[in-house]
Amino acid sequence: MYPINLHATSVLGVTAYPSVAALPSVPDLVVIAVPAAAVRSVLVDCGEAGVSAVVIVTAGFAEVDGAGADAEGELIELARWYGMRVVGPNCIGLVNTSAAVSLNATFSPVAAIEGPIGFASQSGALGIAALDELRQVELGISTFVSLGNKADISGNDLLQYWENDPATKVAALYLESFGNPRKFAQIARRFCRTKPIVAVKSGRTASGRRAASSHTAALASSDLIADALFRDAGIIRVATLAELFDVCRVVATQPLPNGERVAIVGNSGGPGILAADACEAAGLTVAPLSETTRNVLAPQLLPGAGLTNPVDLIAAASALHYERAITAILADDEIDAVLVVYTDPMVSDATDIAAAISRAASTSTKPVVANFLAADVGAMISDDDGGHPPIPVFDFPESAARALAHAARLGVWRKRPLGSLNRDQLGVDLAVANALIAAAAPESGTRWLAADELTALLAAWGIVLISAVPCESAVAAASAAEAMGFPVAVKVASDTITHKTDVGGVRLDLDSPAEVIDAFEDMHVRLGAEMTGVIVQPMARAGTELIIGGIADPSFGPVVMFGAGGITAEILGDRAVALAPFDHVRAGDLVREPKVHALLAGYRGAPPADIDALEDVLVRLSCLLDAHPEIV
């Protein structure tokens, strides 16, 4: 370690040097902690000396103002010119606990312990707090990187490093923004097939954001899109830092569940019920135990023990009863995980119970988590022989249930088919679509496609709309209605009106030419020059109204939204989104996510919807948006 200081010959007894050029050898890493105005010259010195990696602790760059952003950009250009990689600026540094490296290049007062977690944080202060909390819950790290402004090194780089790092079993991320969301999703999707990623992404609320004028832009918020990205890539997204540490303790120590069926074992009815409620609320299934398992348990437990699920061992249960019950339940093929609850009844010893849980868990490859109420056995139950991973202990059943549920969802995600997308099978007339887009695109700004342009574009992609006839006069509208047959719908045509219903621009179930003429004239009087005509359509048969939309998000690229439609779409907010393009497997997931899916399956005797056709429309729209980036 070489301190560099212009005015000192030593720092804390270590020989100091006046510059990087004066060092006796080229360092592997330089930590730059000088005033912002001096960073550039130090970086040049590092480059000239052949340094390949720097950490810039100094703040005062892109996080401050435009001038700071320009200065930061110049630093990165210099670093690339010299072939250097940069962590920061505006960060607290990095840690590597490997015995071969043993590096703590941070000013955190907390010394990290060695362990399986690779942790990255955009917030330096939060990173310091996280290092302390990880130590408190007996969870060590392999590496910690404070990303700061992410001017060069980002979470994408770290994931690619951790993917091939045998010391890292889990990646934990605190993110405030995405540099390249698409690349992040691609890397993460591969990473999560073998190692979990647990992430806190801040910015969940709509504060400071403005929705665009379309239904889709208003409904498909950036946070909803981020959720879709995490879900598609298999990333475990959590809401709080506490939950991040809870989940990390589970996925770092326990095998992933093969499903969402959980058994609860405890010595008190109340906490067992709370645990069951928490599991169900988190999306786990608390199903009755099989008859075979109950028959195994009955002779081994105390009289009065409950043998359903939760299993109530009663207050007098000993460590042996816990061990027998957990062992039998873990052997049940219809159970994927076990949550053990212990309340100190003052007739058993918590340490003995913990040892019994550890012994029972060592006989199985299924995950086990524990909740000890009013009994302190530490954050982990360790196997004395070291042959079995430690078991995480939680203070409350709710936090244990949530963490276990996250792990179960990742286990289910890994079992999903990967799917494939073959656009050639869609039968798209791409030449026609490209010609339509080229003709419609304005020289500057944006505009809405006219009804006939939209119909032609979607038809080229195999998306057929209900027939629509644009009319510029009341007489023409009445004639079109007679030709297609009553009843009909009349909708205003306009280059400026987006939500037609809001301005009285939609009239339904019109049964005669006179009603059509009346509708046209009424709209014309009220809307004036904004109205360029009307569109006449036959009334669709009764069914469930849905909305499908697409936007080009500035950060995430093309995104497709699906959900409950109609005039209440924005009020109910029952929708889901997916990054485009996607295949029929992902389309099926998208259809099932909103609550409106229940109505599509034949709710209360209604005929079921054609789900395959719906999925096909979603796939085609996703490919359309991906193929035509001109569409906003």
Side-chain angles (χ1 to χ4, degrees), residues 429-487:
D429 194 335
L430 199 56
V432 169
N434 283 332
L436 286 163
I437 292 288
E443 292 184 7
S444 62
T446 60
R447 77 172 181 88
W448 292 98
L449 285 178
D452 56 341
E453 294 172 319
L454 177 60
T455 299
L457 175 63
L458 294 178
W461 277 86
I463 301 173
V464 181
L465 302 182
I466 194 167
S467 60
V469 180
C471 302
E472 296 181 358
S473 70
V475 173
S479 177
E482 282 192 290
M484 66 180 57
F486 295 100

Side-chain angles (χ1 to χ4, degrees), residues 120-124 126 148 150 173-178 184 198-207 209 221-227 230 235-241 244 555-556:
S121 173
Q122 274 186 256
S123 166
L126 188 145
K150 296 196 303 182
L173 307 174
Y174 170 75
L175 301 172
E176 295 173 354
S177 63
F178 293 104
F184 175 77
V198 188
V200 174
K201 167 67 172 67
S202 60
R204 281 181 170 270
T205 66
S207 300
R209 295 199 299 258
S221 68
S222 294
D223 193 63
L224 190 65
I225 300 170
D227 260 340
F230 286 132
I235 298 167
I236 298 173
R237 183 181 188 179
V238 295
T240 65
L241 283 175
L244 177 94
S555 297
F556 297 91

Side-chain angles (χ1 to χ4, degrees), residues 61-77:
F61 292 97
E63 80 281 3
V64 175
D65 54 26
D70 292 340
E72 183 177 295
E74 185 182 359
L75 292 180
I76 300 308
E77 284 186 19

Side-chain angles (χ1 to χ4, degrees), residues 25-81:
S25 63
V26 178
D28 300 303
L29 173 71
V30 171
V31 179
I32 300 177
V34 298
V39 171
R40 186 186 186 283
S41 63
V42 174
L43 196 67
V44 170
D45 288 347
C46 291
E48 293 294 330
V51 173
S52 60
V54 299
V55 172
I56 303 178
V57 172
T58 307
F61 292 97
E63 80 281 3
V64 175
D65 54 26
D70 292 340
E72 183 177 295
E74 185 182 359
L75 292 180
I76 300 308
E77 284 186 19
L78 276 172
R80 287 174 179 158
W81 171 261

Side-chain angles (χ1 to χ4, degrees), residues 123-353:
S123 166
L126 188 145
I128 292 174
L131 289 174
D132 183 44
E133 182 63 25
L134 287 167
R135 191 179 183 93
Q136 294 294 325
V137 297
E138 302 174 33
L139 198 59
I141 62 169
S142 59
T143 43
F144 163 76
V145 180
S146 169
L147 293 168
N149 292 358
K150 296 196 303 182
D152 179 28
I153 295 290
S154 70
N156 292 351
D157 299 293
L158 296 177
L159 288 178
Q160 291 177 91
Y161 167 73
W162 287 328
E163 185 177 14
N164 299 301
D165 176 30
T168 301
K169 307 300 182 186
V170 178
L173 307 174
Y174 170 75
L175 301 172
E176 295 173 354
S177 63
F178 293 104
N180 185 334
R182 294 264 157 181
K183 184 178 179 183
F184 175 77
Q186 292 168 358
I187 296 169
R189 190 175 292 114
R190 184 183 68 237
F191 188 104
C192 289
R193 287 285 164 188
T194 56
K195 298 179 181 182
I197 299 175
V198 188
V200 174
K201 167 67 172 67
S202 60
R204 281 181 170 270
T205 66
S207 300
R209 295 199 299 258
R210 296 178 183 270
S213 58
S214 74
H215 266 303
T216 310
L219 289 170
S221 68
S222 294
D223 193 63
L224 190 65
I225 300 170
D227 260 340
L229 182 153
F230 286 132
R231 188 166 50 251
D232 288 354
I235 298 167
I236 298 173
R237 183 181 188 179
V238 295
T240 65
L241 283 175
E243 198 174 3
L244 177 94
F245 302 131
D246 287 345
V247 175
C248 282
R249 284 201 288 151
V250 174
V251 297
T253 62
Q254 298 298 300
L256 290 179
N258 286 321
E260 297 173 328
R261 303 167 299 181
V262 62
I264 299 164
V265 181
N267 63 347
S268 178
I273 295 170
L274 285 176
D277 287 344
C279 286
E280 293 279 2
L284 297 170
T285 301
V286 185
L289 297 179
S290 68
E291 184 178 355
T292 300
T293 299
R294 293 199 303 271
N295 290 338
V296 171
L297 286 173
Q300 300 189 67
L301 303 181
L302 293 171
L307 302 180
T308 54
N309 190 12
V311 174
D312 184 359
L313 303 177
I314 71 173
S318 67
L320 181 59
H321 294 123
Y322 264 94
E323 184 174 353
R324 288 171 174 174
I326 298 167
T327 301
I329 291 168
L330 286 171
D332 190 333
D333 292 336
E334 296 179 16
I335 295 298
D336 300 306
V338 173
L339 168 55
V340 184
V341 180
Y342 175 75
T343 305
D344 188 0
M346 295 180 289
V347 295
S348 57
D349 183 78
T351 304
D352 293 340
I353 301 296

